[in-house]
Amino acid sequence: MTDRIAVLLGRSDELDATVGPALRGALMEVADSVLRDLFGEPGAGVALVAVGGYGRGEPAFGSDLDLVLVHNGRRDDIARLADAIWYPIWDAGVGLDHSVRTVEEAIAVTDGDLKATLGLLDARVVAGDHALAASLFSQVRARWRASAPRRLPELADMVAERARRHGEVAFLLEPDLKEARGGLRDVHALAALASAWVAEKPSERVLAAYRVLLDARGEVRRLAHGREQNRLLLQDTAAVATALGYPDPPALARATADAGRTISWTWDVTWYRASAGLRPSSRWLRSRPVRRPLDEGVVEQNREVQLAGDADPASDPTLTLRVAAAAARAGVPIGRFALDRLAREAPPMPTPWPAAARDALVALLATGAPAVAAMEALDQVGLLVRLLPEWERVRSRPQRNPYHRFTVDRHLIETAAGAAAATREVDRPDLLLLGALLHDIGKGWPGDHTEAGIAVVTDLAPRLGLPPADTDILVTMVRHHLLLAEAATRRDIDDLTTIEAVARAAGSPRVLSLLHALTEADSLATGPTAWSPWKARLVGELVSRAMAVYRGEQVPYPPALSERQQALLAGADEYTVAVNPLPDDGMFEIVVVAPDRPGLLAATTGVLALNRLDVRRASARSSGRRALLQAAVSMPVAGGGPYGQTPSPAILRGDLLRALDGTLDLEARITARERAYAGTRRGLAPAPPRVIFEDSGSDTVVEIRAPDRAGVLFSMVRALSTAGLGVRTAIVATIGLDVVNAFYVREADGGALVAAQRREQLADAVLAALQPPPEPRRAGAATDDHREA
């Protein structure tokens, strides 16, 4: 028995080459044989029943054995029999969830324990009296059906709570394949609905998605050496993909995302219809259907959108989009009968699209958030790809970075839904919505996604029936969909070169307005860190200044010192530090006025890093022999709120003075923080740092891209200062786990950084400064100079 138990725990190489259904079958066979040997032949009136995952025949390495010893009331030997089964399993180290009950006791437990009920719905006999077990199963299922009006809402609440706690399989970098929305447990919930006779059994498509997740979970458990692990970690994706025959980790991620979406969508539509049948009025609704016309060939019936009796999908290519738009406007789902009929009969859209079809697509997108569910419904039955064949390349395509919260296709739909809020602020709302839907379509092709997207939209826009002028605008929106976000957060928006470059790239006030609305919608759909009041203000100010260029107005550069700045520079204190709140939540302006000296900006950024203040933007101005440094900073958030309160000017001033006189070793303190920060990029291979040079008038922009870590801005500024450069402005942007910082620098003589050799030397110095800190030497470890012979 020991050898067989080792197989269950993943401590044997017997099943090393076995994966998927074969692995589950082999593990079940091993577990069954062990338990049957332990059970023996105690005679009639007792049965060993497997429940839960083991009952479904889906064990994984290290899975608990969920067992119920059911008996007919015999008391003389049941305890001895239970001990003979439980103790060897415990002693072998296998997890065990066990109980000993009569049929009546087991049924009574289900009345107050939903999890116990669900486990028994999936039960099977391992050994013993099959008739006794069959009696239990029959009564449990009958009781489940009878209590459906009361128990099924409880089941739906359980599904919703899991989604709130664990997120969605389709959109997580490291999804919990079992507990997350669209995971294995949601299929168990679908099966429970079927057992209650309020829904059909899960379809083969859902079961295929279920097997994808089961197979992946089996390999996750193998890699965890039998430990309780259901999360597909980034560090494990390569091994899991290889074991299951996927060509690469992205293919595995796409398969799991697609499976999760299939399961979650099926749960949503199934529960919607099942819950409607539980309402007291549902019987009357079924006997007297009321059809409310919504559009040509489209009606609402029983809170679902259905096809009218005279609708003919085969001869009406725009019907699919009219159905989706009507559903989104009415806020109800597309009925399954309508979806299935459209999937069977709807033809491909003619080329070019009829104006009515394009108008219906725009009308659908213009509904905003309700469009997401309608588009997902079309996608789940293959209609979206039929309308837009290019969609297949982005469908369920993972982004694979923490900056994005959705797959590519869902991101596009969410962006279009978000852009709907701005349709009254632009003069071409149709192009705004279409541009939002297509701005990242190039991510389905190799190479730069913007260049690929330009090629795709150049071909697609005429097929949609857009005239050449509109096609040009749509292509420009795709070409420059990142323009405003990157210029506002990675360049100096006070710089006339930046302002004029943005105006020149957009080409017209119309396109600039469309890009402004697209930028906000795109950022909001990307993730919670991609948009903020601070970023919105930067983008808005940049757009306003670019619009002034179109009007022929002069934009002063460099901006004149304000009266407040002049007063600060004229102040009597040698060193002044002030903290001013900004209108953005959790953000402050740190103002430092000090004698102008080399390394002042580096010391200031180091002090801010040491005080856990994240710099978003910093600028340095000088007048006479005094310097004015201004930094917009944010406080790190933990547990829903910022650490501490307003930063203390006295503490910052004291730290700055000690850093400048050498009594505060910034490098050592920040290095210690870097070591504490290390290891937070689990499973992600950071890209190597890069240094990019760009001319901007009399300044040179040095853009540095590197993995984020504690004190990274300090390391960059110190390297630039050590190289003899003056940093006029620093623009700091964090994208996921990386930073993209831009520094406007000049040589000591005020000139730009021109010579190629000088630039190469500077790049080498910056890259050397960004090397991770060495690991601290362990006490007693031998040094290179003192090795044992």
Side-chain angles (χ1 to χ4, degrees):
M1 187 182 81
T2 302
D3 292 343
R4 289 180 289 170
I5 291 294
V7 171
L8 292 177
L9 295 173
R11 298 172 184 168
S12 167
D13 58 5
E14 181 177 329
L15 298 178
D16 280 358
T18 307
V19 299
L23 174 62
R24 294 189 288 276
L27 291 173
M28 186 175 71
E29 183 178 342
V30 171
D32 285 356
S33 66
V34 168
L35 291 169
R36 285 167 184 156
D37 288 347
L38 294 173
F39 185 79
E41 296 183 4
V46 62
L48 185 61
V49 171
V51 300
Y54 180 38
R56 290 186 297 271
E58 300 165 357
F61 288 117
S63 291
D64 289 353
L65 297 179
D66 295 341
L67 300 167
V68 180
L69 190 61
V70 182
H71 61 95
N72 62 358
R74 52 195 278 183
R75 301 293 182 184
D76 53 340
D77 63 345
I78 197 67
R80 177 183 55 78
L81 177 59
D83 291 347
I85 300 171
W86 308 154
Y87 278 99
I89 298 297
W90 281 327
D91 293 343
V94 176
L96 184 64
D97 188 348
H98 65 288
S99 60
V100 180
R101 294 191 173 98
T102 64
V103 170
E104 293 75 17
E105 290 169 343
I107 292 172
V109 167
T110 65
D111 285 341
D113 190 335
L114 181 59
K115 290 183 178 180
T117 305
L118 298 176
L120 282 169
L121 290 175
D122 293 324
R124 66 180 178 87
V125 181
V126 176
D129 191 333
H130 282 252
L132 179 69
S135 172
L136 170 63
F137 301 161
S138 175
Q139 292 183 64
V140 167
R141 293 187 177 108
R143 209 175 188 96
W144 175 245
R145 291 192 295 271
S147 61
R150 175 175 59 87
R151 305 302 299 277
L152 292 186
E154 185 182 351
L155 173 67
D157 289 344
M158 182 183 290
V159 172
E161 177 59 26
R162 280 200 306 269
R164 283 190 291 271
R165 292 182 58 191
H166 300 284
E168 294 199 47
V169 166
F171 306 129
L172 290 170
L173 271 177
E174 296 184 330
D176 188 315
L177 302 174
K178 184 177 181 180
E179 302 288 347
R181 172 172 158 80
L184 299 172
R185 288 206 185 276
D186 283 3
V187 181
H188 307 159
L190 285 167
L193 294 181
S195 295
W197 293 357
V198 299
E200 296 179 353
K201 291 183 178 180
S203 67
E204 178 52 39
R205 184 165 176 264
V206 171
L207 294 179
Y210 183 64
R211 289 190 291 270
V212 167
L213 301 186
L214 269 181
D215 292 351
R217 175 178 176 255
E219 295 310 302
V220 166
R221 296 297 287 266
R222 188 199 302 272
L223 293 171
H225 304 291
R227 297 190 307 274
E228 180 65 28
Q229 173 65 280
N230 298 304
R231 192 176 298 278
L232 179 57
L233 303 177
L234 282 170
Q235 65 199 32
D236 293 337
T237 52
V240 174
T242 299
L244 296 177
Y246 291 96
D248 51 35
L252 169 65
R254 190 171 188 177
T256 55
D258 194 45
R261 288 176 62 182
T262 296
I263 292 168
S264 60
W265 179 78
T266 304
W267 165 261
D268 288 344
V269 298
T270 303
W271 173 243
Y272 184 86
R273 299 202 71 182
S275 61
L278 298 176
R279 289 193 289 267
S281 60
S282 61
R283 182 177 302 176
W284 180 83
L285 287 172
R286 285 197 296 269
S287 63
R288 298 184 59 185
V290 176
R291 292 191 158 207
R292 180 169 68 95
L294 299 177
D295 204 331
E296 182 185 353
V298 186
V299 298
E300 179 186 350
Q301 177 181 330
N302 292 347
R303 302 187 185 181
E304 292 182 327
V305 168
Q306 299 289 357
L307 300 182
D310 58 353
D312 182 13
S315 63
D316 187 353
T318 67
L319 179 59
T320 295
L321 289 171
R322 293 204 309 276
V323 166
R329 284 194 301 268
V332 296
I334 306 172
R336 200 54 201 270
F337 296 117
L339 273 177
D340 290 344
R341 187 178 174 199
L342 288 169
R344 288 193 309 269
E345 301 177 22
M349 194 68 73
T351 302
W353 280 27
R358 189 174 62 255
D359 291 345
L361 175 59
V362 170
L364 166 61
L365 299 177
T367 62
V372 176
M375 296 280 278
E376 181 72 6
L378 298 185
D379 181 68
Q380 285 295 324
V381 296
L383 286 167
L384 196 48
V385 170
R386 193 178 305 175
L387 292 166
L388 298 170
E390 292 84 355
W391 202 259
E392 180 63 37
R393 300 290 290 265
V394 296
R395 189 177 184 279
S396 294
R397 188 178 186 87
Q399 307 266 18
R400 307 309 289 162
N401 67 63
Y403 193 55
H404 285 86
R405 59 179 170 179
F406 294 122
T407 53
V408 176
D409 58 335
R410 181 62 176 269
H411 170 74
L412 293 173
I413 293 172
E414 292 281 350
T415 301
T423 52
R424 295 184 179 181
E425 300 171 12
V426 296
D427 66 352
R428 287 301 302 273
D430 56 334
L431 294 181
L432 171 61
L433 296 170
L434 293 174
L437 184 67
L438 300 173
H439 73 280
D440 270 348
I441 195 72
K443 288 185 175 180
W445 280 260
D448 180 80
H449 84 277
T450 298
E451 293 301 320
I454 291 170
V456 171
V457 173
T458 299
D459 176 69
L460 175 58
R463 292 207 330 263
L464 295 177
L466 292 175
D470 289 354
T471 296
D472 290 343
I473 291 177
L474 206 57
V475 168
T476 301
M477 291 177 69
V478 173
R479 176 180 285 115
H480 294 305
H481 70 275
L482 297 174
L483 173 69
L484 295 179
E486 291 185 347
T489 60
R490 302 186 193 179
R491 293 295 182 265
D492 183 2
I493 64 172
D494 292 330
D495 186 352
L496 185 58
T497 302
T498 298
I499 298 166
E500 291 179 338
V502 166
R504 187 167 53 251
S508 69
R510 166 178 286 174
V511 174
L512 185 59
S513 295
L514 291 170
L515 288 174
H516 189 187
L518 174 59
T519 298
E520 180 172 355
D522 184 15
S523 300
L524 289 170
T526 294
T529 63
W531 193 250
S532 65
W534 165 256
K535 186 174 180 179
R537 187 148 52 86
L538 290 178
V539 170
E541 290 178 6
L542 177 58
V543 169
S544 177
R545 293 169 188 181
M547 287 293 188
V549 172
Y550 293 136
R551 294 191 297 269
E553 300 175 5
Q554 290 294 319
V555 181
Y557 181 79
L561 288 170
S562 67
E563 292 184 4
R564 175 172 166 271
Q565 290 172 326
Q566 293 176 17
L568 287 170
L569 285 169
D573 290 344
E574 188 176 15
Y575 288 92
T576 300
V577 176
V579 177
N580 305 312
L582 291 174
D584 314 290
D585 289 342
M587 291 194 65
F588 299 89
E589 178 194 45
I590 309 296
V591 180
V592 176
V593 182
D596 198 3
R597 56 179 287 181
L600 178 61
L601 181 60
T604 301
T605 58
V607 166
L608 296 177
L610 203 60
N611 284 271
R612 294 179 173 270
L613 296 172
D614 296 330
V615 179
R616 301 288 188 88
R617 175 188 173 96
S619 63
R621 306 283 295 275
S622 61
S623 177
R625 296 183 178 181
R626 290 174 66 74
L628 169 67
L629 276 61
Q630 294 172 282
V633 303
S634 62
M635 302 192 73
V637 175
Y643 293 123
Q645 303 298 322
T646 302
S648 167
I651 293 176
L652 294 177
R653 183 177 184 277
D655 285 349
L656 178 60
L657 290 175
R658 291 190 296 125
L660 291 172
D661 67 19
T663 58
L664 174 61
D665 190 341
L666 283 174
E667 182 176 4
R669 293 281 298 275
I670 291 176
T671 297
R673 283 195 60 203
E674 289 177 13
R675 292 197 182 103
Y677 192 85
T680 60
R681 302 177 66 106
R682 182 188 67 189
L684 294 173
R690 293 177 59 199
V691 181
I692 302 168
F693 296 92
E694 180 181 306
D695 295 321
S696 179
S698 58
D699 292 324
T700 299
V701 179
V702 182
E703 182 178 280
I704 307 174
R705 305 182 180 193
D708 194 11
R709 56 179 171 82
V712 67
L713 178 61
F714 166 70
S715 299
M716 293 176 181
V717 175
R718 186 181 58 173
L720 296 173
S721 299
T722 302
L725 295 174
V727 179
R728 182 181 60 78
T729 302
I731 309 297
V732 181
T734 302
I735 302 176
L737 297 179
D738 296 311
V739 293
V740 181
N741 296 345
F743 302 91
Y744 286 69
V745 303
R746 295 178 183 177
E747 295 280 16
D749 61 4
L753 188 66
V754 177
Q757 184 177 5
R758 172 73 164 134
R759 290 185 174 190
E760 183 177 346
Q761 291 172 346
L762 177 63
D764 290 341
V766 170
L767 295 176
L770 293 176
Q771 291 300 310
E775 291 294 326
R777 187 177 300 280
R778 298 189 306 274
T783 67
D784 291 339
D785 298 328
H786 299 86
R787 296 179 183 272
E788 293 185 8

